Amino acid sequence: SAYQKAVRQSGRRTLVVDDVCNRTEYNATILLNQNADAMKYDYIINPDILSLLGTRYTLLRKEFINFPRREAPVPADAKNILVTLGGADPDNVTSRIFEGLTQLNTTDLHVKVIAGAANPHLPELQEQIRRMPGTTDLIINASNMPRLMAWADLAISGAGSTCWELCFMSVPMVAVVLADNQQGIAWTLANQGLATLLDASANVKDIATALKAVMSDGKRREAMAAQGRKMIDGHGALRVANALYATGIRLRNVREDDCQTLLDWRNDPNVQARSFTSDVISQEEHQRWFRDKLANPNCLFFIGEDEAGTPVAQIRFDREYNYAVVSISVAPAMQNRSIGTVMVRLGCAALAKKWRDVRALARVKPNNPASAAIFRKAGFSQSQTPDKEYLQFEWMDKNAK
């Protein structure tokens, strides 16, 4: 917790990825818990954090996103079985799964077992494979997981993040709880009809009974596959990226009906603290200032809106000869989402179109590292100034995006 807070106080935006809620406090720009039970945790967080909780934000590797999801009907009986219980499987649960499958007395099974090179039980597993009915392949350090999942009628998996990949690939599953931190995922899988659960300590007879029940129930597996497709749509990484980079922001010219919104933003205590003039602005004073800015041909004034058309920030350029001073503020409810950096980039691009040879200058209070970081990330370079009341940054890039 102390480390997270120190990094943020240095002016950096941070994304904290969590799945156990075992810190005293979480201090970040964005908190991400991609698991379905994320909302159950009682997170203690900083008040301006953006929380991305649940499988809407599940991060999948590109190899899954780009692989076509299965369209074939679910067979009445599962014959192609994929077993994947992690890279090490120290308790050798895979061996008991083998024994359970053997007790089914079915010779037409095709089993593919995924194991890591760190698995200490590989010789034992290889010996068991020779005695198993049907066809069994041991694959070490698999590099084609999407294809293997697409092949499977049923997966037997540890109850970790692999389950979200299986959901995306529409593969019904038996989930084995291999660690305490998988309890929440396992509960969700069972509660929402996504999987049959097995405890890692289950005996061979119970394993065989559970496997037989789900392998012979095509309708049940079909429902699992359909529910998995609903749970994981594959757009989680994009949603997280949009939150990180505020990609949906668009500029428009300021209108007369923006007057009150801008006053409310300006008089917010957090905005005041970062302004050179920290006094509360009166309604009359603000309206007079606002009318002057709208009428001034040397003022470029924009509102940034999100994809829903909601105002989220403002940026203004006041021209003085061959340079323009930048002023920016973000709506109090939308701070710490990288909107400031996006606004500066968009604003400077608009400035270059309007006044091609005009430099943009930004002036920042020395005790405001967050604002300084915004301009640096937007392409500004710090320049010399004799005034010790502020830091000065200059923008020269006419190709801003």
Side-chain angles (χ1 to χ4, degrees):
S1 297
Y3 175 78
Q4 292 176 11
K5 187 174 183 179
V7 173
R8 278 208 70 220
Q9 287 179 339
S10 74
R12 300 296 181 181
R13 301 179 72 246
T14 58
L15 168 68
V16 171
V17 183
D18 182 73
D19 65 356
V20 289
C21 192
N22 64 354
R23 299 291 184 269
T24 304
E25 180 182 359
Y26 287 81
N27 199 298
T29 307
I30 300 175
L31 172 66
L32 169 64
N33 184 331
Q34 66 172 0
N35 293 315
D37 63 327
M39 278 72 75
K40 292 169 54 182
Y41 290 128
D42 187 18
Y43 281 107
I44 300 174
I45 53 179
N46 48 290
D48 58 345
I49 203 169
L50 173 63
S51 296
L52 307 180
L53 305 178
T55 55
R56 180 175 169 79
Y57 303 101
T58 295
L59 307 178
L60 296 179
R61 291 174 283 170
K62 286 183 180 179
E63 61 211 72
F64 286 96
I65 302 300
N66 297 329
F67 197 92
R69 292 211 250 185
R70 64 193 296 160
E71 300 293 341
V74 175
D77 295 304
K79 302 295 184 182
N80 297 337
I81 311 298
L82 182 68
V83 181
T84 172
L85 297 178
D89 188 16
D91 297 325
N92 202 13
V93 179
T94 303
S95 177
R96 269 181 285 137
I97 297 294
F98 279 176
E99 293 180 33
L101 289 168
T102 301
Q103 284 200 5
L104 298 180
N105 294 319
T106 302
T107 60
D108 56 352
L109 289 183
H110 303 280
V111 181
K112 294 184 186 294
V113 183
I114 311 301
N119 191 316
H121 309 289
L122 290 179
E124 180 181 343
L125 294 177
Q126 289 167 336
E127 181 60 32
Q128 274 189 281
I129 286 173
R130 296 189 184 98
R131 302 194 303 267
M132 285 188 65
T135 303
T136 302
D137 297 317
L138 179 63
I139 303 170
I140 299 174
N141 292 340
S143 59
N144 57 341
M145 285 301 292
R147 187 172 300 280
L148 290 168
M149 290 182 180
W151 164 86
D153 299 329
L154 177 72
I156 304 169
S157 170
S161 58
T162 298
C163 294
W164 306 135
E165 297 168 352
L166 289 165
C167 284
F168 177 74
M169 295 297 293
S170 306
V171 183
M173 72 186 94
V174 173
V176 185
V177 181
L178 300 172
D180 288 342
N181 65 355
Q182 295 180 349
Q183 293 286 354
I185 295 176
W187 179 87
T188 302
L189 292 170
N191 189 53
Q192 300 199 20
L194 292 159
T196 293
L197 292 190
L198 271 179
D199 191 270
S201 62
N203 59 45
V204 173
K205 182 179 179 181
D206 290 341
I207 291 173
T209 300
L211 292 180
K212 183 177 181 179
V214 70
M215 288 168 63
S216 61
D217 193 339
K219 289 186 177 179
R220 183 178 177 186
R221 283 182 284 106
E222 185 174 17
M224 287 180 180
Q227 189 65 14
R229 286 192 292 270
K230 292 179 183 178
M231 174 71 78
I232 308 295
D233 63 8
H235 300 303
L238 180 62
R239 293 186 182 103
V240 174
N242 284 339
L244 283 167
Y245 298 112
T247 55
I249 304 301
R250 299 291 180 269
L251 291 188
R252 65 164 172 80
N253 291 320
V254 164
R255 303 187 300 249
E256 290 187 6
D257 59 355
D258 294 315
C259 184
Q260 185 61 48
T261 298
L262 293 176
L263 177 60
D264 293 341
W265 292 356
R266 169 57 183 79
N267 284 337
D268 180 85
N270 290 328
V271 176
Q272 279 183 253
R274 292 191 290 268
S275 301
F276 283 98
T277 303
S278 57
D279 297 334
V280 174
I281 306 296
S282 69
Q283 185 91 27
E284 182 180 354
E285 181 182 1
H286 176 73
Q287 288 177 343
R288 184 169 56 252
W289 170 89
F290 185 74
R291 286 194 296 268
D292 289 344
K293 291 299 179 184
L294 288 184
N296 189 343
N298 288 317
C299 176
L300 279 182
F301 207 167
F302 301 104
I303 288 286
E305 293 182 334
D306 65 13
E307 293 171 328
T310 303
V312 296
Q314 68 84 24
I315 189 167
R316 191 180 76 251
F317 297 90
D318 292 303
R319 181 174 180 176
E320 300 176 16
Y321 304 106
N322 65 338
Y323 67 89
V325 179
V326 186
S327 174
I328 181 171
S329 61
V330 177
M334 303 300 291
Q335 292 174 5
N336 298 308
R337 304 190 187 190
S338 199
I339 291 174
T341 300
V342 173
M343 287 291 293
V344 172
R345 288 173 177 163
L346 292 174
C348 286
L351 172 71
K353 290 181 180 178
K354 177 72 174 180
W355 297 319
R356 183 170 182 79
D357 297 320
V358 172
R359 297 176 299 152
L361 294 181
R363 292 163 181 164
V364 178
K365 293 170 71 173
N367 62 349
N368 189 357
S371 291
I374 284 174
F375 288 107
R376 288 192 179 100
K377 286 187 286 185
F380 280 63
S381 299
Q382 189 167 348
S383 57
Q384 295 295 321
T385 174
D387 195 331
K388 296 183 179 180
E389 294 298 315
Y390 58 82
L391 304 176
Q392 181 166 285
F393 298 86
E394 183 173 353
W395 178 82
M396 296 289 292
D397 183 8
K398 300 302 188 294
N399 297 308
K401 299 295 183 184

